[in-house]
Amino acid sequence: MSVKIRIPSPLRGFTNGADIVETEGANIGEVLNDLKAKANGIEPRLFKGPNQLNRFVNIYLNDEDIRFLKNLETPVKSGDEVSIVPAIAGG
Amino acid sequence: MSYVLGLKCKECGHRVPVSPVHVCEQCFGPYEVEYDYAAMKGKVTRESIASGPKSLWRYRDLLPVDVPVTGFNSGFTPFRKAKRLAQVLGCSNLWIKDDSCNYPTYSYKERVVSVAISKAVEFGFDTVGCASTGNLANSTAAHAAAAGIKCYVMIPHDLEQGKVLGSLIFGPTMVRIRGNYDDVNRLCTEIADKYGWAIVNVNLRPYYTEGAKTHGFEIAEQFGWKLPQHTVVPTAGGTILPKIYKAYQEFIQLGLVEDNKPKIYSAQAAGCNPVVTAIQKGVDIIEPQKPNTIAKSIAIGNPADGYYAYKVVKDSNGWGESASDREIVDAIKLLAKTEGIWTEPAGGTTLAAAIKLIQSGRIPKDESICVCITGNGLKTLEAVQNDLPQPRVIEAKLSEFDELLAENEAAEKKASARAEPVGAL
């Protein structure tokens, strides 16, 4: 199953500048694992421990924050889009 | 002279030079401006500050801006003793920091925007923008107009009319986005990435947030170079609360005020209280929420700096309290009737939370308390329009007026017989 992951600019150094990376997997955790394999060095930027995202990393499946879904266990299907979004200040 | 050393990640300590970046490339944490406090000693003094302009730029030595381009009349808002409100609440030393009259768009946002837009010009951007719940959009649009630069404001689609018109009048390009603030926010990070604009609360965030310190500096200076023991602050994205604390700590470090261990309290609407929930549970993970409250200006369910708001409250031995929509409206009316200040629901939230903290004994009634009012009620008529009496229409005859007066007096007598102190005012 092919899932697109949108890469924000602070992380494009790990993807040769690409803003989208095609990944495979059945849930968010799996596609992020695939991203780790495809973007060498990105892992510690996203994860602080096994299956534990850094505090300021927000992951969206299509338009929904995965914390409103099943976090890393959230299932994905072909054609879904995953975004990695840094937190921003209030307004 | 500038005392800025550079940017430092609040999470992992990674340092980078001053530039329009906001996210640490190492850990995704937020960058914060780092200053050379040792060099400030003896140079940044009560006298040097007091001799500055009567605006937020009097604290320029503690801000990351070389050449201010806007905000010359912003900040330095009233700090007032709230005697009549204190009487109702049974307090003896209650103060209001009143940004409801902050110039030119009547909210605390003038502070952050003045710094961010000055910095944007310094960096050479020709377009600024923001993701906003309304107040930030108003302020960004006004200051961009004054500075003569292009402006895009992105807001949730369902904001109050006053907040929408209050931006449009300044001529920005406004985009209303279907979704809540957190959706707008996410889109703006992608826009900043793609178009290379200065989005004040995205890629200028390290500079923007520093502007919020001036609210705290002013409290300390206007209180007579001392700190209130208790400061109650609204929490949305979590910018201003940690920055008020930082302002207090900077003044302590520079020897400008005595360290009385000031406590900071977070106020949120019950319909959007991820930070207060974490504080009350004592867990440092901020669970995001879907906002549902009339306090739209603080309806941020996924607060970027929520963790830091939590941490400051815990480190300072403060607390957090939330208020229902009913309590928010009652507090707006109470502040208006006792102090003549009309605030928006965010201010109602802060006062309502302060009242609960005082009544529950978390904040002792006889100690110094500052309630931070950050926005103006004229922008949010919808919040109170169904809650105020309809004035009666009479003919232009003295006899009809006499009759009306007699009826009003009778009604007042009846009401005072019920002996309800808050309602009586």
Side-chain angles (χ1 to χ4, degrees):
Chain A
M1 273 190 285
S2 178
V3 171
K4 283 180 182 163
I5 301 186
R6 298 182 73 89
I7 310 293
S9 57
L11 294 180
R12 287 183 202 151
F14 302 103
T15 60
N16 294 321
D19 59 353
I20 288 179
V21 173
E22 296 274 353
T23 58
E24 301 289 327
N27 61 35
I28 294 285
E30 287 182 21
V31 296
L32 289 178
N33 271 333
D34 193 34
L35 175 69
K36 286 192 269 189
K38 286 174 173 156
N40 194 22
I42 208 168
E43 181 171 359
R45 308 296 188 258
L46 300 180
F47 289 89
K48 67 175 169 189
N51 297 321
Q52 204 183 1
L53 288 165
N54 275 333
R55 190 188 297 283
F56 294 95
V57 174
N58 296 319
I59 305 285
Y60 284 78
L61 171 61
N62 301 318
D63 285 327
E64 189 62 290
D65 190 318
I66 60 164
R67 287 174 294 178
F68 289 116
L69 304 168
K70 294 179 180 162
N71 287 305
L72 295 174
E73 311 281 300
T74 308
V76 295
K77 58 184 188 311
S78 200
D80 277 346
E81 199 171 276
V82 172
S83 304
I84 303 171
V85 181
I88 78 165
Chain B
M1 70 167 278
S2 171
Y3 295 100
V4 173
L5 296 173
L7 300 181
K8 184 180 172 189
C9 174
K10 275 176 100 165
E11 278 298 286
C12 73
H14 179 70
R15 286 187 168 91
V16 291
V18 167
S19 54
V21 294
H22 66 297
V23 173
C24 174
E25 59 202 46
Q26 302 290 321
C27 75
F28 250 45
Y31 281 124
E32 188 164 51
V33 177
E34 197 177 16
Y35 299 89
D36 185 354
Y37 296 111
M40 286 185 201
K41 284 245 166 163
K43 288 185 182 139
V44 181
T45 61
R46 289 181 184 182
E47 293 71 28
S48 75
I49 290 169
S51 68
K54 285 198 169 13
S55 75
L56 60 93
W57 293 117
R58 68 202 277 110
Y59 309 104
R60 190 169 142 189
D61 285 336
L62 290 148
L63 296 171
V65 168
D66 294 333
V67 185
V69 302
T70 183
F72 300 109
N73 301 99
S74 303
F76 218 61
T77 56
F79 177 75
R80 301 185 8 192
K81 192 156 191 181
K83 284 189 192 155
R84 281 181 30 89
L85 178 61
Q87 217 175 3
V88 174
L89 302 180
C91 305
S92 53
N93 203 358
L94 181 65
W95 297 75
I96 302 282
K97 177 61 180 167
D98 185 10
D99 269 5
S100 75
C101 56
N102 203 357
Y103 180 89
T105 65
Y106 314 112
S107 84
Y108 114 83
K109 296 295 182 183
E110 319 298 352
R111 304 176 180 282
V112 286
V113 170
S114 298
V115 172
I117 291 194
S118 296
K119 206 66 195 173
V121 171
E122 202 177 300
F123 283 137
F125 286 101
D126 64 357
T127 304
V128 297
C130 64
S132 175
T133 56
N135 280 326
L136 178 59
N138 295 170
S139 185
T140 304
H143 287 277
I149 46 180
K150 273 188 281 183
C151 180
Y152 279 78
V153 299
M154 272 66 77
I155 58 170
H157 66 105
D158 63 344
L159 287 188
E160 302 93 340
Q161 182 85 335
K163 295 258 169 85
V164 174
L165 298 182
S167 292
L168 284 175
I169 193 71
F170 301 111
T173 302
M174 173 182 283
V175 186
R176 291 168 67 203
I177 290 150
R178 235 170 254 120
N180 60 33
Y181 176 75
D182 299 295
D183 299 315
V184 177
N185 202 329
R186 186 167 61 88
L187 176 65
C188 273
T189 60
E190 294 175 341
I191 291 172
D193 247 21
K194 183 164 179 181
Y195 292 95
W197 296 340
I199 307 287
V200 296
N201 50 341
V202 180
N203 47 350
L204 293 185
R205 176 182 174 195
Y207 313 99
Y208 164 98
T209 55
E210 283 293 285
K213 289 191 306 190
T214 61
H215 190 94
F217 291 146
E218 288 175 19
I219 292 171
E221 182 182 353
Q222 292 169 319
F223 197 35
W225 298 104
K226 58 186 186 182
L227 304 174
Q229 288 157 290
H230 309 276
T231 307
V232 189
V233 190
T235 305
T239 300
I240 185 171
L241 188 151
K243 291 293 174 167
I244 288 175
Y245 191 66
K246 186 179 180 192
Y248 289 176
Q249 296 306 317
E250 285 182 340
F251 271 13
I252 290 168
Q253 192 175 348
L254 292 169
L256 305 185
V257 297
E258 195 188 317
D259 186 1
N260 63 351
K261 310 284 177 211
K263 295 178 179 165
I264 312 284
Y265 301 80
S266 166
Q268 293 199 297
C272 183
N273 64 354
V275 174
V276 167
T277 301
I279 291 166
Q280 294 188 347
K281 279 190 188 162
V283 288
D284 70 356
I285 293 171
I286 313 292
E287 294 286 349
Q289 295 180 2
K290 303 274 186 193
N292 178 20
T293 169
I294 57 163
K296 295 185 187 198
S297 69
I298 51 170
I300 297 181
N302 184 16
D305 290 315
Y307 166 69
Y308 295 111
Y310 166 89
K311 199 165 174 308
V312 160
V313 166
K314 288 289 172 188
D315 290 351
S316 73
N317 291 311
W319 192 243
E321 192 57 78
S322 29
S324 68
D325 284 358
R326 181 69 257 160
E327 290 167 330
I328 292 168
V329 172
D330 286 344
I332 291 173
K333 289 163 68 181
L334 180 64
L335 184 65
K337 287 184 179 180
T338 54
E339 297 298 332
I341 296 170
W342 186 6
T343 186
E344 62 167 14
T349 304
T350 311
L351 178 57
I355 292 172
K356 289 167 113 169
L357 290 160
I358 291 164
Q359 286 174 346
S360 68
R362 284 265 174 197
I363 298 182
K365 288 183 171 178
D366 57 344
E367 296 188 1
S368 52
I369 306 165
C370 174
V371 177
C372 298
I373 297 298
T374 51
N376 190 301
L378 273 166
K379 294 188 196 181
T380 53
L381 304 178
E382 294 89 336
V384 293
Q385 68 185 3
N386 296 326
D387 226 84
L388 298 173
Q390 282 291 326
R392 240 173 75 185
V393 180
I394 60 168
E395 297 304 323
K397 288 181 189 158
L398 190 58
S399 60
E400 289 209 14
F401 185 77
D402 291 343
E403 201 178 302
L404 179 142
L405 207 61
E407 277 176 31
N408 280 0
E409 275 169 10
E412 266 170 39
K413 250 186 207 164
K414 227 178 178 180
S416 65
R418 285 205 305 267
E420 191 189 347
V422 173
L425 276 159

